[in-house]
Protein backbone atom coordinates (compact mmCIF):
# COMPACT_ATOMS: atom_id res chain seq x y z
CA UNK A 1 0.00 0.00 0.00
CA UNK A 2 1.51 3.30 -1.09
CA UNK A 3 1.54 6.16 1.37
CA UNK A 4 0.53 9.52 -0.14
CA UNK A 5 1.03 12.77 1.71
CA UNK A 6 -1.30 15.59 0.66
CA UNK A 7 -0.43 19.12 1.71
CA UNK A 8 -3.65 21.10 2.08
CA UNK A 9 -7.08 20.34 3.54
CA UNK A 10 -9.23 22.48 1.25
CA UNK A 11 -11.56 21.11 -1.39
CA UNK A 12 -8.71 20.21 -3.78
CA UNK A 13 -6.70 18.30 -1.20
CA UNK A 14 -9.84 16.65 0.18
CA UNK A 15 -10.97 15.53 -3.27
CA UNK A 16 -7.54 14.02 -3.92
CA UNK A 17 -7.60 12.27 -0.56
CA UNK A 18 -10.95 10.72 -1.40
CA UNK A 19 -9.89 9.54 -4.86
CA UNK A 20 -6.50 8.18 -3.79
CA UNK A 21 -7.93 6.39 -0.76
CA UNK A 22 -10.49 4.78 -3.08
CA UNK A 23 -7.56 3.39 -5.08
CA UNK A 24 -6.08 1.83 -1.96
CA UNK A 25 -3.57 4.46 -0.88
CA UNK A 26 -2.79 5.16 2.74
CA UNK A 27 -3.45 8.91 2.79
CA UNK A 28 -2.17 11.51 5.21
CA UNK A 29 -3.23 15.15 4.99
CA UNK A 30 -1.11 17.84 6.60
CA UNK A 31 -2.51 21.36 6.86
CA UNK A 32 -1.96 24.47 8.93
CA UNK A 33 -5.64 25.35 8.97
CA UNK A 34 -8.69 23.33 10.02
CA UNK A 35 -10.30 20.85 7.63
CA UNK A 36 -12.01 22.79 4.88
CA UNK A 37 -9.14 25.19 4.36
CA UNK A 38 -9.19 28.97 4.05
CA UNK A 39 -9.72 29.73 0.36
CA UNK A 40 -12.39 27.02 0.14
CA UNK A 41 -14.21 28.54 3.11
CA UNK A 42 -14.25 31.93 1.36
CA UNK A 43 -15.49 30.59 -1.97
CA UNK A 44 -18.85 31.57 -3.47
CA UNK A 45 -19.33 27.91 -4.36
CA UNK A 46 -20.77 28.33 -7.87
CA UNK A 47 -20.21 25.18 -9.96
CA UNK A 48 -20.22 26.14 -13.62
CA UNK A 49 -18.65 25.93 -17.05
CA UNK A 50 -20.26 29.08 -18.45
CA UNK A 51 -17.12 30.94 -17.39
CA UNK A 52 -13.99 29.75 -19.21
CA UNK A 53 -10.73 31.14 -20.58
CA UNK A 54 -10.10 28.69 -23.43
CA UNK A 55 -11.84 25.80 -25.10
CA UNK A 56 -9.67 23.34 -23.15
CA UNK A 57 -10.60 25.16 -19.95
CA UNK A 58 -14.29 24.89 -20.85
CA UNK A 59 -14.06 21.15 -21.42
CA UNK A 60 -12.27 20.61 -18.09
CA UNK A 61 -14.85 22.72 -16.25
CA UNK A 62 -17.73 20.96 -17.99
CA UNK A 63 -16.32 17.60 -16.98
CA UNK A 64 -15.98 19.09 -13.50
CA UNK A 65 -19.77 19.34 -13.30
CA UNK A 66 -20.06 15.69 -14.30
CA UNK A 67 -17.48 14.74 -11.67
CA UNK A 68 -19.51 16.53 -8.99
CA UNK A 69 -22.55 14.50 -10.01
CA UNK A 70 -20.55 11.30 -9.83
CA UNK A 71 -19.47 12.26 -6.32
CA UNK A 72 -23.03 12.85 -5.17
CA UNK A 73 -24.01 9.42 -6.52
CA UNK A 74 -21.17 7.77 -4.61
CA UNK A 75 -21.71 9.79 -1.43
CA UNK A 76 -25.37 10.74 -0.95
CA UNK A 77 -25.84 13.67 1.39
CA UNK A 78 -23.02 15.86 0.08
CA UNK A 79 -23.74 19.62 0.31
CA UNK A 80 -24.20 19.97 -3.47
CA UNK A 81 -27.35 21.25 -5.18
CA UNK A 82 -28.28 21.87 -8.81
CA UNK A 83 -30.56 24.92 -9.00
CA UNK A 84 -29.15 26.18 -12.30
CA UNK A 85 -28.00 29.73 -12.96
CA UNK A 86 -30.01 32.66 -14.23
CA UNK A 87 -27.46 34.87 -15.97
CA UNK A 88 -27.60 38.38 -17.40
CA UNK A 89 -24.14 39.73 -16.62
CA UNK A 90 -24.12 40.75 -20.30
CA UNK A 91 -27.06 42.07 -22.29
CA UNK A 92 -28.03 42.59 -25.92
CA UNK A 93 -25.58 41.35 -28.57
CA UNK A 94 -23.06 40.26 -25.93
CA UNK A 95 -25.67 38.04 -24.30
CA UNK A 96 -26.55 36.51 -27.67
CA UNK A 97 -22.87 35.87 -28.38
CA UNK A 98 -22.52 34.13 -25.02
CA UNK A 99 -25.52 31.90 -25.74
CA UNK A 100 -24.26 31.08 -29.24
CA UNK A 101 -20.73 30.32 -28.07
CA UNK A 102 -21.82 28.06 -25.23
CA UNK A 103 -24.39 26.25 -27.36
CA UNK A 104 -21.72 25.58 -29.99
CA UNK A 105 -19.65 23.87 -27.28
CA UNK A 106 -22.61 21.69 -26.32
CA UNK A 107 -23.59 23.56 -23.15
CA UNK A 108 -27.27 23.65 -22.27
CA UNK A 109 -28.59 27.20 -22.59
CA UNK A 110 -32.17 28.46 -22.30
CA UNK A 111 -33.02 31.97 -23.51
CA UNK A 112 -35.55 33.63 -21.21
CA UNK A 113 -37.89 36.56 -21.74
CA UNK A 114 -38.81 39.10 -19.08
CA UNK A 115 -41.98 37.13 -18.41
CA UNK A 116 -39.99 33.89 -18.01
CA UNK A 117 -37.61 35.60 -15.58
CA UNK A 118 -40.46 37.00 -13.48
CA UNK A 119 -42.03 33.55 -13.26
CA UNK A 120 -38.78 31.95 -12.04
CA UNK A 121 -37.64 34.81 -9.80
CA UNK A 122 -40.66 36.88 -8.73
CA UNK A 123 -38.76 38.55 -5.85
CA UNK A 124 -36.25 40.15 -8.22
CA UNK A 125 -36.54 43.94 -8.26
CA UNK A 126 -34.85 45.17 -11.46
CA UNK A 127 -36.25 42.75 -14.05
CA UNK A 128 -34.13 42.47 -17.22
CA UNK A 129 -35.67 42.13 -20.66
CA UNK A 130 -33.82 38.89 -21.35
CA UNK A 131 -31.54 36.44 -19.56
CA UNK A 132 -29.89 33.07 -20.06
CA UNK A 133 -30.53 30.04 -17.90
CA UNK A 134 -27.84 27.38 -17.48
CA UNK A 135 -29.63 24.31 -16.09
CA UNK A 136 -26.47 22.24 -15.58
CA UNK A 137 -24.98 24.55 -12.96
CA UNK A 138 -24.93 23.97 -9.24
CA UNK A 139 -23.70 25.18 -5.89
CA UNK A 140 -21.80 23.79 -2.92
CA UNK A 141 -20.02 25.14 0.11
CA UNK A 142 -16.50 23.94 -0.77
CA UNK A 143 -15.37 23.87 2.87
CA UNK A 144 -18.32 21.68 3.86
CA UNK A 145 -17.66 19.49 0.83
CA UNK A 146 -13.99 19.19 1.79
CA UNK A 147 -14.84 18.11 5.33
CA UNK A 148 -17.27 15.48 4.02
CA UNK A 149 -14.70 14.09 1.57
CA UNK A 150 -11.96 13.95 4.19
CA UNK A 151 -14.27 12.04 6.51
CA UNK A 152 -15.26 9.64 3.72
CA UNK A 153 -11.62 9.08 2.72
CA UNK A 154 -10.53 7.90 6.16
CA UNK A 155 -7.36 9.93 5.72
CA UNK A 156 -5.21 10.73 8.72
CA UNK A 157 -5.12 14.49 9.25
CA UNK A 158 -2.17 16.23 10.92
CA UNK A 159 -2.55 19.90 11.77
CA UNK A 160 0.92 21.33 11.38
CA UNK A 161 2.77 23.83 9.22
CA UNK A 162 4.93 22.43 6.44
CA UNK A 163 8.34 24.07 6.51
CA UNK A 164 9.80 22.31 3.50
CA UNK A 165 9.54 19.26 1.31
CA UNK A 166 12.03 16.46 1.86
CA UNK A 167 13.78 14.45 -0.82
CA UNK A 168 16.31 11.68 -1.17
CA UNK A 169 18.22 10.72 -4.32
CA UNK A 170 16.23 13.31 -6.25
CA UNK A 171 12.81 11.95 -5.25
CA UNK A 172 10.17 13.45 -2.97
CA UNK A 173 10.03 11.60 0.35
CA UNK A 174 7.66 13.70 2.45
CA UNK A 175 7.68 16.97 4.35
CA UNK A 176 9.32 18.58 7.34
CA UNK A 177 6.75 20.25 9.58
CA UNK A 178 6.91 22.25 12.79
CA UNK A 179 5.78 19.02 14.49
CA UNK A 180 8.46 16.90 12.89
CA UNK A 181 9.02 15.01 9.62
CA UNK A 182 6.34 13.06 7.75
CA UNK A 183 7.60 10.37 5.39
CA UNK A 184 5.64 9.20 2.38
CA UNK A 185 6.05 7.41 -0.95
CA UNK A 186 4.80 10.48 -2.80
CA UNK A 187 3.65 14.01 -2.10
CA UNK A 188 0.81 16.05 -3.59
CA UNK A 189 0.84 19.80 -3.01
CA UNK A 190 -2.69 21.20 -2.86
CA UNK A 191 -1.80 24.15 -0.67
CA UNK A 192 -3.37 26.97 -2.67
CA UNK A 193 -1.38 30.17 -2.40
CA UNK A 194 1.20 28.37 -0.26
CA UNK A 195 2.18 26.12 -3.17
CA UNK A 196 4.71 28.51 -4.73
CA UNK A 197 6.72 28.83 -1.52
CA UNK A 198 7.04 25.06 -1.16
CA UNK A 199 8.26 24.70 -4.74
CA UNK A 200 10.76 27.56 -4.74
CA UNK A 201 13.56 25.67 -2.86
CA UNK A 202 13.39 23.07 -5.64
CA UNK A 203 14.26 25.76 -8.19
CA UNK A 204 10.73 25.93 -9.58
CA UNK A 205 8.87 29.23 -9.72
CA UNK A 206 5.08 29.02 -9.87
CA UNK A 207 3.86 32.55 -10.63
CA UNK A 208 0.64 33.42 -8.82
CA UNK A 209 -1.63 36.44 -9.04
CA UNK A 210 -2.69 38.39 -5.96
CA UNK A 211 -6.46 37.95 -5.87
CA UNK A 212 -8.09 38.60 -2.50
CA UNK A 213 -11.63 37.33 -2.16
CA UNK A 214 -14.41 38.21 0.27
CA UNK A 215 -17.74 36.42 0.53
CA UNK A 216 -20.52 37.51 2.86
CA UNK A 217 -23.57 35.75 4.24
CA UNK A 218 -26.71 37.60 5.29
CA UNK A 219 -29.38 36.92 7.84
CA UNK A 220 -31.86 34.20 6.77
CA UNK A 221 -34.47 35.26 4.22
CA UNK A 222 -37.63 33.63 2.91
CA UNK A 223 -37.06 31.69 -0.34
CA UNK A 224 -36.37 34.63 -2.67
CA UNK A 225 -33.48 33.30 -4.79
CA UNK A 226 -34.15 29.72 -5.96
CA UNK A 227 -31.35 29.88 -8.57
CA UNK A 228 -27.78 31.08 -8.72
CA UNK A 229 -28.22 34.65 -9.89
CA UNK A 230 -25.54 36.41 -11.95
CA UNK A 231 -26.32 40.06 -12.72
CA UNK A 232 -24.13 42.93 -13.96
CA UNK A 233 -23.81 44.24 -10.40
CA UNK A 234 -23.88 41.16 -8.17
CA UNK A 235 -23.70 37.38 -8.07
CA UNK A 236 -25.75 35.74 -5.33
CA UNK A 237 -27.22 32.44 -4.24
CA UNK A 238 -29.32 31.34 -1.27
CA UNK A 239 -28.26 28.50 1.00
CA UNK A 240 -30.35 25.87 2.77
CA UNK A 241 -30.75 28.11 5.84
CA UNK A 242 -32.07 30.97 3.72
CA UNK A 243 -28.93 33.10 3.90
CA UNK A 244 -27.91 35.03 0.81
CA UNK A 245 -24.31 34.19 -0.12
CA UNK A 246 -22.58 36.88 -2.15
CA UNK A 247 -19.03 37.69 -3.24
CA UNK A 248 -17.99 41.28 -2.63
CA UNK A 249 -16.76 41.64 -6.23
CA UNK A 250 -19.57 42.20 -8.72
CA UNK A 251 -18.05 39.70 -11.19
CA UNK A 252 -15.84 37.66 -8.93
CA UNK A 253 -14.74 35.03 -11.47
CA UNK A 254 -12.99 37.57 -13.68
CA UNK A 255 -12.16 40.05 -10.91
CA UNK A 256 -8.62 41.42 -11.24
CA UNK A 257 -8.46 43.62 -8.12
CA UNK A 258 -5.34 43.17 -5.98
CA UNK A 259 -6.90 44.81 -2.90
CA UNK A 260 -10.36 44.72 -1.36
CA UNK A 261 -10.63 48.21 0.06
CA UNK A 262 -12.06 49.16 3.43
CA UNK A 263 -13.97 46.23 4.91
CA UNK A 264 -17.04 48.24 6.09
CA UNK A 265 -17.26 50.05 2.75
CA UNK A 266 -17.04 46.83 0.73
CA UNK A 267 -19.58 44.99 2.89
CA UNK A 268 -22.05 47.90 2.88
CA UNK A 269 -21.76 48.23 -0.90
CA UNK A 270 -22.51 44.51 -1.30
CA UNK A 271 -25.52 44.76 1.02
CA UNK A 272 -26.79 47.77 -0.92
CA UNK A 273 -26.65 45.80 -4.16
CA UNK A 274 -28.47 42.87 -2.57
CA UNK A 275 -31.21 45.16 -1.24
CA UNK A 276 -31.62 46.63 -4.71
CA UNK A 277 -31.96 43.15 -6.22
CA UNK A 278 -34.49 42.07 -3.59
CA UNK A 279 -36.41 45.19 -2.49
CA UNK A 280 -38.71 45.02 0.51
CA UNK A 281 -36.58 42.51 2.39
CA UNK A 282 -34.63 43.20 5.57
CA UNK A 283 -31.19 42.11 4.41
CA UNK A 284 -28.39 42.47 6.96
CA UNK A 285 -24.81 41.29 7.36
CA UNK A 286 -24.33 38.06 9.31
CA UNK A 287 -20.77 36.86 8.65
CA UNK A 288 -17.89 36.93 6.21
CA UNK A 289 -15.03 34.80 4.95
CA UNK A 290 -11.91 36.28 3.39
CA UNK A 291 -8.89 34.68 1.72
CA UNK A 292 -6.38 35.00 -1.06
CA UNK A 293 -7.69 32.97 -3.98
CA UNK A 294 -5.13 30.58 -5.54
CA UNK A 295 -4.95 31.95 -9.09
CA UNK A 296 -1.93 30.97 -11.25
CA UNK A 297 -0.51 33.75 -13.41
CA UNK A 298 -2.45 32.82 -16.56
CA UNK A 299 -5.67 32.20 -14.63
CA UNK A 300 -5.67 28.52 -15.54
CA UNK A 301 -5.35 25.49 -13.25
CA UNK A 302 -2.03 23.79 -12.58
CA UNK A 303 -2.28 20.01 -12.31
CA UNK A 304 0.35 17.37 -12.90
CA UNK A 305 3.81 16.13 -11.96
CA UNK A 306 6.16 18.46 -10.11
CA UNK A 307 9.84 19.20 -10.78
CA UNK A 308 11.09 16.01 -9.07
CA UNK A 309 9.80 12.43 -9.18
CA UNK A 310 7.21 11.54 -6.59
CA UNK A 311 5.89 15.12 -6.41
CA UNK A 312 2.55 16.26 -7.81
CA UNK A 313 0.91 19.70 -7.93
CA UNK A 314 -2.75 20.73 -7.89
CA UNK A 315 -3.55 24.43 -7.54
CA UNK A 316 -6.39 26.29 -9.21
CA UNK A 317 -9.24 28.72 -9.23
CA UNK A 318 -11.98 27.75 -9.18
CA UNK A 319 -11.35 24.76 -7.00
CA UNK A 320 -15.07 24.63 -6.25
CA UNK A 321 -15.82 23.55 -9.81
CA UNK A 322 -12.61 21.75 -10.70
CA UNK A 323 -11.52 19.84 -7.57
CA UNK A 324 -13.43 16.59 -8.16
CA UNK A 325 -12.45 16.17 -11.82
CA UNK A 326 -8.81 17.14 -11.27
CA UNK A 327 -8.71 14.66 -8.38
CA UNK A 328 -10.12 11.88 -10.57
CA UNK A 329 -7.66 12.55 -13.38
CA UNK A 330 -4.57 13.09 -11.21
CA UNK A 331 -5.32 10.01 -9.11
CA UNK A 332 -5.42 7.95 -12.31
CA UNK A 333 -2.11 9.43 -13.46
CA UNK A 334 -0.47 8.94 -10.08
CA UNK A 335 -1.45 5.29 -10.30
CA UNK A 336 -0.12 5.14 -13.86
CA UNK A 337 -3.54 4.27 -15.25
CA UNK A 338 -3.63 6.91 -17.96
CA UNK A 339 -2.49 10.40 -18.89
CA UNK A 340 -5.53 12.59 -19.33
CA UNK A 341 -5.90 14.73 -22.47
CA UNK A 342 -8.12 17.02 -20.38
CA UNK A 343 -5.09 18.07 -18.32
CA UNK A 344 -2.57 18.53 -21.14
CA UNK A 345 -2.98 22.32 -21.31
CA UNK A 346 -2.62 22.71 -17.56
CA UNK A 347 0.67 21.04 -16.68
CA UNK A 348 3.07 22.71 -14.21
CA UNK A 349 5.84 22.44 -16.82
CA UNK A 350 4.36 25.37 -18.77
CA UNK A 351 5.93 27.72 -16.20
CA UNK A 352 9.32 25.99 -16.13
Amino acid sequence: MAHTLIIGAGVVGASLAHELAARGDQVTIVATHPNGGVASAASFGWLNASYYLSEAHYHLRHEGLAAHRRLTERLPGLPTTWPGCLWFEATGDAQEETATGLSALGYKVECLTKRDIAARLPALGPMPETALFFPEEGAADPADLARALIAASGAKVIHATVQSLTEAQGKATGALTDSGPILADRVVIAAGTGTAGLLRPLGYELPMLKRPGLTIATNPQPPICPVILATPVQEVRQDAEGRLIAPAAADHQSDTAEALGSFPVVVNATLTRLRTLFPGHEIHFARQAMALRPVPQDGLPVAGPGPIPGLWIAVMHSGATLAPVVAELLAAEIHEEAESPLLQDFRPARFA
Side-chain angles (χ1 to χ4, degrees):
M1 179 186 294
H3 180 200
T4 300
L5 174 64
I6 297 173
I7 302 173
V11 69
V12 176
S15 297
L16 283 158
H18 183 255
E19 289 296 333
L20 288 166
R23 283 171 166 77
D25 283 18
Q26 175 191 348
V27 178
T28 298
I29 298 172
V30 59
T32 303
H33 304 285
N35 293 1
V38 176
S40 293
S43 170
F44 179 42
W46 177 10
L47 315 179
N48 74 80
S50 53
Y51 172 80
Y52 60 95
L53 298 176
S54 67
E55 187 169 335
H57 192 214
Y58 164 80
H59 288 300
L60 183 64
R61 291 177 69 90
H62 196 216
E63 188 59 27
L65 301 182
H68 271 282
R69 285 186 164 86
R70 289 191 288 271
L71 261 186
T72 57
E73 290 174 2
R74 291 160 64 187
L75 296 172
L78 290 180
T80 308
T81 59
W82 301 100
C85 173
L86 197 152
W87 184 94
F88 55 99
E89 287 185 344
T91 58
D93 291 345
Q95 189 179 107
E96 290 183 16
E97 289 173 9
T98 297
T100 300
L102 286 169
S103 296
L105 289 167
Y107 208 52
K108 294 179 182 177
V109 180
E110 299 174 17
C111 298
L112 305 183
T113 65
K114 189 173 186 176
R115 185 174 180 177
D116 297 329
I117 300 163
R120 293 184 187 226
L121 207 60
L124 186 63
M127 200 70 65
E129 293 298 321
T130 60
L132 304 180
F133 184 68
F134 307 134
E136 297 180 72
E137 298 188 351
D141 182 316
D144 286 347
L145 180 58
R147 287 187 281 269
L149 292 175
I150 290 171
S153 74
K156 178 182 179 180
V157 180
I158 298 172
H159 290 295
T161 299
V162 174
Q163 298 173 335
S164 64
L165 302 175
T166 57
E167 57 179 304
Q169 298 179 333
K171 181 181 183 299
T173 59
L176 179 64
T177 78
D178 57 0
S179 297
I182 304 174
L183 297 179
D185 297 304
R186 53 180 167 248
V187 179
V188 185
I189 307 178
T193 57
T195 302
L198 292 173
L199 291 170
R200 193 165 294 120
L202 301 177
Y204 180 87
E205 287 292 334
L206 177 62
M208 301 284 287
L209 299 174
K210 184 180 180 182
R211 292 292 182 265
L214 170 65
T215 299
I216 73 165
T218 71
N219 56 317
Q221 300 292 317
I224 57 175
C225 190
V227 296
I228 301 157
L229 181 61
T231 83
V233 298
Q234 184 66 60
E235 295 163 351
V236 59
R237 65 181 180 88
Q238 193 166 16
D239 70 10
E241 285 71 44
R243 296 169 295 198
L244 298 177
I245 310 298
D251 185 3
H252 86 286
Q253 293 186 114
S254 56
D255 177 40
T256 59
E258 294 190 352
L260 288 171
S262 167
F263 179 77
V265 171
V266 171
V267 170
N268 285 331
T270 306
L271 291 172
T272 298
R273 295 193 295 267
L274 291 174
R275 290 164 185 155
T276 300
L277 288 175
F278 301 107
H281 291 272
E282 294 293 326
I283 298 174
H284 303 291
F285 173 79
R287 65 171 188 252
Q288 57 83 24
M290 189 184 314
L292 285 174
R293 294 174 290 174
V295 186
Q297 187 179 60
D298 56 8
L300 296 169
V302 174
I308 60 174
L311 180 63
W312 297 79
I313 304 169
V315 57
M316 66 209 66
H317 176 73
S318 154
T321 296
L322 293 173
V325 67
V326 169
E328 286 180 355
L329 300 176
L330 271 191
E333 292 190 350
I334 288 169
H335 279 258
E336 300 181 349
E337 295 169 15
E339 278 199 14
S340 172
L342 280 172
L343 293 180
Q344 290 312 306
D345 283 17
F346 312 112
R347 299 303 190 184
R350 71 182 188 271
F351 293 119

